[in-house]
Amino acid sequence: MDRSASLPSSPSSSPLPTPGPAEPARPAGSSALARAERFVWLSARVLEQRRFAYHFLGDGAEAVETALTAYLGTDGGYGHALDPDLRGPVSQPPHAVHALRVLDGIGRCGGQRVERLCRYLTSVSTPDGALPVCHPSPHGYPAAPWVPSADDPRGDLLTTGPVVGLLHRNEVWHAWLFRATDFCWAAVTALGEGGAAVRPYEVAAAVAFLDGVPDRARAEAVAERLGRRVREERLIVPPPAAEPAEDRPLAPGSCEPLQVHDIARTPGSPARRWFTDAEVERSLDALVAAQQEDGGWPPHRRAWTPGATLEWRSVATIEALLTLRAYGRRI
């Protein structure tokens, strides 16, 4: 009996494995993208890992949607610290802003998921049809100390502007949008009226609305007026090229000062025209320099708990890479 037929093949005679799908090209080891990738796999949430793989490694959008679904509530809204400053399972408007930015980035901002989200937005809107920064919910879940808590909150541009802008940008039509859009037009037009102070984050929310609203002629006119106010009051000041990002002083409140790239996230934004080419380049230089030793970027939020800070870093890292790529910077 020939026993050789029953013996395992030697390694040298083993058949080669069937080739599978080609692996996406990996970033060069010393590039900003490669260092960011290492940070993402070491420290980021699954959602940001999936976003990184979609935007920079060629993976599909389905995995991002699946990761985002983990934050979805039964009411159609999002919770579970999708916005890291709000812990606990309860749906809140800032989580909706974050979810829509993720969906917009992967081209999936529509369908039944967004229809359910719009029903949630309707349920938590204030009498003027807008969204509060934080909707009253069962107390006891941790939140950042600067998150407002009120039993009768007012509508706020900080949450309503980005949500309305992103829904319009994706041609979503829902009854909730009519009054919410009117609220945003009024709020953006009134910024700074009567000598009232304008906060940089209000400017960012206004630009997020103006970037997506369909009445482009009106948006351009309002953006031009707002831009003059931003320039006159020096609300957004690019740092000197030689100033390290970590040496910039923090502004009073919860967040670091905003830079040009935080307001004009893409070259096509109306806010891009507020700044000179040199100011944009200085801001992008500062963004490049802000990448930290471990490959991640620092968050805009002040630290209040280690977990939230690390989660914000993963978000900031994805956004930094997307901004640099949008402006044609080599990463």
Side-chain angles (χ1 to χ4, degrees), residues 37-104:
E37 182 181 14
R38 177 172 172 79
F39 169 79
V40 165
W41 296 129
L42 279 174
S43 304
R45 303 185 296 188
V46 171
L47 176 59
E48 278 69 51
Q49 291 178 354
R50 294 299 197 180
R51 291 180 69 197
F52 182 92
Y54 171 82
H55 288 292
F56 303 105
L57 300 178
D59 281 11
E62 291 79 6
V64 182
E65 279 199 283
T66 299
L68 184 62
T69 300
Y71 299 89
L72 187 63
T74 57
D75 56 4
Y78 290 83
H80 300 279
L82 180 56
D83 179 307
D85 283 344
L86 289 165
R87 318 305 290 185
V90 178
S91 298
Q92 288 287 359
H95 299 315
V97 175
H98 201 111
L100 288 172
R101 283 177 175 158
V102 171
L103 292 170
D104 175 66

Side-chain angles (χ1 to χ4, degrees), residues 222-247:
V222 172
E224 184 178 355
R225 291 196 299 270
L226 181 59
R228 286 199 297 269
R229 182 68 182 268
V230 168
R231 300 292 309 190
E232 290 168 359
E233 298 194 13
R234 294 176 59 83
L235 294 174
I236 310 298
V237 182
E243 181 184 11
E246 61 269 20
D247 291 344

Side-chain angles (χ1 to χ4, degrees), residues 21-295:
E23 291 235 351
R26 313 301 297 177
S30 60
S31 68
L33 184 60
R35 290 184 285 126
E37 182 181 14
R38 177 172 172 79
F39 169 79
V40 165
W41 296 129
L42 279 174
S43 304
R45 303 185 296 188
V46 171
L47 176 59
E48 278 69 51
Q49 291 178 354
R50 294 299 197 180
R51 291 180 69 197
F52 182 92
Y54 171 82
H55 288 292
F56 303 105
L57 300 178
D59 281 11
E62 291 79 6
V64 182
E65 279 199 283
T66 299
L68 184 62
T69 300
Y71 299 89
L72 187 63
T74 57
D75 56 4
Y78 290 83
H80 300 279
L82 180 56
D83 179 307
D85 283 344
L86 289 165
R87 318 305 290 185
V90 178
S91 298
Q92 288 287 359
H95 299 315
V97 175
H98 201 111
L100 288 172
R101 283 177 175 158
V102 171
L103 292 170
D104 175 66
I106 62 173
R108 297 290 182 92
C109 193
Q112 291 187 353
R113 181 194 296 270
V114 174
E115 174 70 24
R116 291 193 299 269
L117 179 59
C118 286
R119 290 200 293 268
Y120 160 75
L121 299 175
T122 302
S123 71
V124 299
S125 292
T126 55
D128 52 8
L131 297 173
V133 172
C134 190
H135 186 263
S137 61
H139 298 291
Y141 296 113
W146 49 80
V147 174
S149 178
D151 293 331
D152 187 22
R154 63 180 179 84
D156 202 301
L157 183 64
L158 293 181
T159 44
T160 313
V163 167
V164 172
L166 286 164
L167 291 176
H168 278 307
R169 169 184 166 90
N170 288 275
E171 299 182 348
V172 173
W173 293 104
H174 188 275
W176 177 79
L177 272 170
F178 291 102
R179 294 184 65 209
T181 302
D182 289 341
F183 171 88
C184 290
W185 279 125
V188 172
T189 303
L191 279 178
E193 284 189 351
V198 180
R199 296 174 293 170
Y201 268 76
E202 289 178 316
V203 177
V207 171
F209 168 71
L210 296 172
D211 278 349
V213 72
D215 189 341
R216 299 314 303 159
R218 186 178 181 184
E220 294 288 344
V222 172
E224 184 178 355
R225 291 196 299 270
L226 181 59
R228 286 199 297 269
R229 182 68 182 268
V230 168
R231 300 292 309 190
E232 290 168 359
E233 298 194 13
R234 294 176 59 83
L235 294 174
I236 310 298
V237 182
E243 181 184 11
E246 61 269 20
D247 291 344
R248 295 198 304 269
L250 284 173
S254 64
C255 302
E256 290 197 43
L258 296 185
Q259 303 300 320
V260 172
H261 60 263
D262 297 313
I263 299 298
R265 290 173 175 258
T266 67
S269 171
R272 166 61 183 86
R273 293 190 289 277
W274 300 351
F275 308 102
T276 67
D277 291 347
E279 288 171 333
V280 171
E281 291 304 312
R282 284 167 53 198
S283 182
L284 294 172
D285 287 344
L287 181 59
V288 170
Q291 187 176 23
Q292 297 181 327
E293 186 175 350
D294 62 2

